[in-house]
Structures are given as structure tokens and as C-alpha cells.
Amino acid sequence: MLKTMYNTSFDDAASCDLVANALETNPYPCGWLINGQPCNTAVLGREMPTHLRTVHKVNGNQRLRCLWNGCSDELSSGCLGRHVQERHLEWRWPCPRLGCDAIFTRRGVMEEHRAIRGH
């Protein structure tokens, strides 16, 4: 009989890497509107900013309105990829410290939190 083994000794860094892998490799339907209809192309989370630049021509450094289905935020085109990941794909970075319930929209802010709190 085969015995299933699980790694139960994840440290905080490994936990962060697991979250990153899940967010970045998960396919999401693109909600960018084209003629009033969502694009719906399945795009890996980490590739969404590239998809927006290459397919939907969101590039340059001008202010524009987000055309994601149901959104009308106006922001710099350079921030749009991160906006979509945080707001529309709902990327969240939980603090990996057991007992800490803090959740962040950016990995860098979560890592700052860990450094300040000493975990």
C-alpha cells in the first residue's frame, strides 16, 4: 500500500511562494470590453498586463478609463496591469505568519508588514 506524504514544514517564504504560484499561474477570463462584450480570453494571472498591452493596446503613459467589465476607474496606463490584478482578479497576499490575519493587495506591502512586525 502506498503511503501519501505531505510536506508540513513550510516556512513563511515557501508559503509566500505558494500563494504567488497560485495567483500567477491561474487562468483568468479577460474582462476587457470590446464593442461592449468581454474579451473572455483565458489569460494566466502573471500574463494579464502583457495581454492588455499587446491585445488591447493599453500602453504608453497617458491617463485612461479602465474598460474592464463593470469598472470606470481612470488611471495611468502604466498602472493598469496592477489595477486589474488587484481589483478585478482580486489578487490577495495573506501574511504567512500563523495567527496573523493581515491580508494585502500587493506582495511588497505584505513583505513590508512582515519586516516591520518581525515576522
Side-chain angles (χ1 to χ4, degrees), residues 6-35:
Y6 298 97
N7 182 355
T8 58
S9 61
F10 285 108
D11 62 4
D12 290 348
S15 295
C16 291
D17 289 343
L18 283 172
V19 170
N21 186 57
L23 294 173
E24 293 172 353
T25 61
N26 189 39
Y28 298 88
C30 176
W32 198 259
L33 296 177
I34 305 169
N35 299 322

Side-chain angles (χ1 to χ4, degrees), residues 6-118:
Y6 298 97
N7 182 355
T8 58
S9 61
F10 285 108
D11 62 4
D12 290 348
S15 295
C16 291
D17 289 343
L18 283 172
V19 170
N21 186 57
L23 294 173
E24 293 172 353
T25 61
N26 189 39
Y28 298 88
C30 176
W32 198 259
L33 296 177
I34 305 169
N35 299 322
Q37 296 297 314
C39 168
N40 279 332
T41 300
V43 181
L44 296 181
R46 70 171 165 250
E47 298 298 327
M48 190 62 75
T50 302
H51 174 78
L52 294 171
R53 282 191 309 274
T54 58
V55 175
H56 302 299
K57 308 301 181 210
V58 176
N59 43 32
N61 197 18
Q62 72 274 9
R63 292 196 61 77
L64 52 83
R65 189 170 61 92
C66 177
L67 294 179
W68 199 269
N69 195 14
C71 186
S72 61
D73 288 356
E74 193 172 303
L75 56 153
S76 166
S77 57
C79 297
L80 194 67
R82 186 176 63 223
H83 163 80
V84 166
Q85 289 170 328
E86 293 173 3
R87 174 76 56 87
H88 305 302
L89 305 185
E90 299 180 349
W91 280 23
R92 298 296 179 264
W93 297 90
C95 178
R97 176 66 75 172
L98 192 61
C100 182
D101 296 327
I103 299 174
F104 306 91
T105 58
R106 296 183 189 171
R107 184 176 186 162
V109 176
M110 180 269 299
E111 290 171 349
E112 234 175 73
H113 158 83
R114 290 181 59 214
I116 291 169
R117 297 287 178 113

